[in-house]
Amino acid sequence: MEHVDRCVVLVDAGYLLGAAASLLAGEPARSRITVDHAALIQQLRERAEADTQLPLLRIYWFDGAPDRVPQPEHRRLRVMPRVTVRLGALTRAEGRWAQKGVDAAMHTELTELARNGACSDIVLVTGDGDLLPGLMSAKEHGVAVHLWAVQAADGDYNQSEDLVAEADERRVLDRTWITRAVRAKDLSGLCAPPPVPRPEIAAILSAPLPESALAASAERAAAAGAAREGARADAVGVPPAASPVDDEGVNGSGVPAPASAKTVPTPKDLAALRGPAAPAAPHAVGATLRWSSDRGWIDRPGTALGEAAETAFLPTLAQLTSAEQRWADREEDITTVGGDPYEVGQVFARRWLDRLPEPLHVQKLAVMYPRIPHRIDGELLRYAARFGLLAHKDDQIDEHDRYAIRAGFWREIDVHAAAQHAPAPEESRGTP
């Protein structure tokens, strides 16, 4: 079959970015580098067209992702001109992340392009010897194979010698070329102080638990402590230390409990927490609940007066969004939203606020801080899940990301509410 005179680039992102990290930061962890993906794609295109003297058909970007869910970088890459993203699985084994299926996908694409005569030259940016059969197959179909390497940190090969031997042409992408789009993060800071947490997140973390929850937790812990007392009888002189949280320090809604909630408050302690008797505000409980989900809490009569009725009227973002807006939202998510959890919460809140029909909704929501009504909170977290924020971080949900997402949401609510109550500028009174 006659091949079309054009070139294709197949990029093993794990190799390209891992080798770049080794070269620039001294270790292959991609977290050690910052990548300008748009600049990198442009560089790959220009270099491929210059080396092959052919127009580019397409760049295929092969990478791994948890459950094959596109991460923010993949979402940006796949809408770039002439770029196709192919994702394999990213799994954790023996404490390390490993790609599964990426080599097989590259092999399939390589052989299919050659067999179908889609191009006359293929550029491979990889170091994996598993692609040797695919490379040899492409050559048998009359395709010229160019093998590109990233300059090795130690001056030696970081590619399979068999791949190097079989390639028709070989080029090394040196440090100067790499640093046009990739740079090492400034981590001079093993001794540097950690970044200061955002005050909004700190405020949510420090918000106290409601009294009724503390009391209910105390009752549950007391019952559990009584059941364990016999098993601890041999610990003479050490009274059993009951706790209102489970063995992992997590309260009834799945949130790490604050230090103040790690011992069972006695009736006297609860009285001290209550302080002088005072009439409770209708939203007192909702306003001090430090986590948004209702699950695990038992509302007692009078503790959340009218709460269901107060929140049921609040529309979700989906209910407020037209088909045209939904399309525009997806475009914004892909092209401009970076995926920082705080930013994600802000974007969601901004859209919700812009589409609310009644300013009264914002006023009623504001008094519930830091609680987010369950339906809206669930929608917020589902939106955040699109950016890969809620899973596969050390094999468990990252609670700090959840705080940051909600803190970003509340920051936008606060700004909007403040703008609503800002005094209007004085009108000109004219010339006296």
Side-chain angles (χ1 to χ4, degrees):
M1 178 181 290
E2 187 176 347
H3 292 85
V4 179
D5 289 334
R6 54 193 179 188
C7 66
V8 171
V9 181
L10 306 184
V11 179
D12 178 351
Y15 165 77
L16 173 59
L17 300 183
S22 293
L23 178 64
L24 303 181
E27 61 180 85
R30 287 160 64 170
S31 60
R32 298 290 304 273
I33 56 175
T34 299
V35 183
D36 182 341
H37 289 89
L40 182 58
I41 291 297
Q42 185 61 30
Q43 286 178 222
L44 289 168
R45 177 172 186 166
E46 291 173 357
R47 175 57 61 87
E49 291 181 336
D51 279 12
T52 64
Q53 294 296 301
L54 295 170
L56 176 78
L57 170 63
R58 190 174 297 116
I59 295 174
Y60 289 89
W61 185 272
F62 296 87
D63 203 0
D67 293 334
R68 291 184 166 87
V69 176
Q71 302 302 292
E73 65 185 80
H74 303 138
R75 299 166 70 86
R76 288 191 289 274
L77 281 163
R78 65 185 184 180
V79 296
M80 292 180 186
R82 304 276 179 161
V83 176
T84 295
V85 175
R86 297 279 190 258
L87 294 180
L90 192 62
T91 59
R92 193 172 179 83
E94 298 179 0
R96 300 186 64 182
W97 290 103
Q99 294 182 160
K100 299 292 183 183
V102 172
D103 296 338
M106 289 190 72
H107 178 276
T108 299
E109 203 70 59
L110 176 60
T111 54
E112 286 297 310
L113 288 166
R115 184 182 296 115
N116 295 327
C119 58
S120 59
D121 290 63
I122 292 178
V123 175
L124 284 179
V125 186
T126 186
D128 199 329
D130 290 345
L131 282 176
L132 181 62
L135 184 153
M136 297 175 69
S137 175
K139 289 173 62 177
E140 290 169 2
H141 282 88
V143 172
V145 180
H146 305 247
L147 183 66
W148 289 1
V150 175
Q151 179 182 339
D154 55 8
D156 200 357
Y157 284 152
N158 54 14
Q159 290 178 305
S160 160
E161 291 189 21
D162 290 334
L163 276 183
V164 173
E166 285 291 334
D168 294 304
E169 302 284 348
R170 184 169 184 262
R171 175 176 290 280
V172 176
L173 306 175
D174 60 19
R175 179 186 292 267
T176 301
W177 190 93
I178 291 294
T179 52
R180 286 166 57 192
V182 183
R183 63 180 178 83
K185 290 182 180 176
D186 182 11
L187 299 176
S188 55
L190 283 187
C191 300
V196 178
R198 291 186 175 97
E200 295 86 355
I201 299 176
I204 291 179
L205 287 169
S206 62
L209 289 165
E211 262 179 39
S212 60
L214 287 174
S217 294
E219 292 172 6
R220 289 194 299 271
R228 293 194 298 265
E229 188 174 353
R232 298 180 177 177
D234 56 343
V236 180
V238 180
S243 169
V245 296
D246 61 24
D247 292 338
E248 297 180 354
V250 177
N251 64 26
S253 26
V255 183
S260 60
K262 298 248 176 122
T263 56
V264 178
T266 65
K268 185 181 292 185
D269 295 331
L270 290 174
L273 285 172
R274 279 194 293 269
H283 298 291
V285 172
T288 57
L289 183 62
R290 70 192 290 261
W291 200 248
S292 299
S293 174
D294 294 340
R295 194 173 44 167
W297 300 110
I298 300 174
D299 289 333
R300 303 189 178 216
T303 58
L305 182 60
E307 181 180 302
E310 291 290 348
T311 61
F313 73 93
L314 288 172
T316 62
L317 179 60
Q319 292 170 333
L320 298 170
T321 303
S322 66
E324 292 79 8
Q325 287 172 324
R326 189 172 298 111
W327 184 88
D329 290 348
R330 295 292 285 186
E331 283 290 302
E332 182 184 12
D333 290 343
I334 292 169
T335 57
T336 63
V337 180
D340 172 76
Y342 188 81
E343 177 195 15
V344 166
Q346 288 182 298
V347 171
F348 180 93
R350 195 176 307 127
R351 291 175 185 168
W352 188 71
L353 290 166
D354 288 345
R355 295 165 196 174
L356 277 176
E358 294 291 339
L360 181 63
H361 292 158
V362 180
Q363 298 171 19
K364 290 196 173 182
L365 178 66
V367 299
M368 300 175 190
Y369 176 86
R371 184 194 184 104
I372 303 175
H374 186 70
R375 290 181 308 130
I376 296 172
D377 183 63
E379 189 182 35
L380 169 61
L381 295 182
R382 286 192 297 274
Y383 171 66
R386 296 180 191 174
F387 298 90
L389 291 172
L390 301 182
H392 298 284
K393 291 201 174 181
D394 297 326
D395 297 326
Q396 63 183 351
I397 291 174
D398 189 307
E399 301 293 352
H400 191 272
D401 276 357
R402 290 178 178 262
Y403 283 120
I405 292 162
R406 286 160 171 144
F409 176 90
W410 279 116
R411 175 61 178 167
E412 285 301 307
I413 298 296
D414 184 52
V415 169
H416 191 89
Q420 282 187 343
H421 291 87
E426 257 187 61
E427 295 183 4
S428 173
R429 301 188 182 185
T431 307

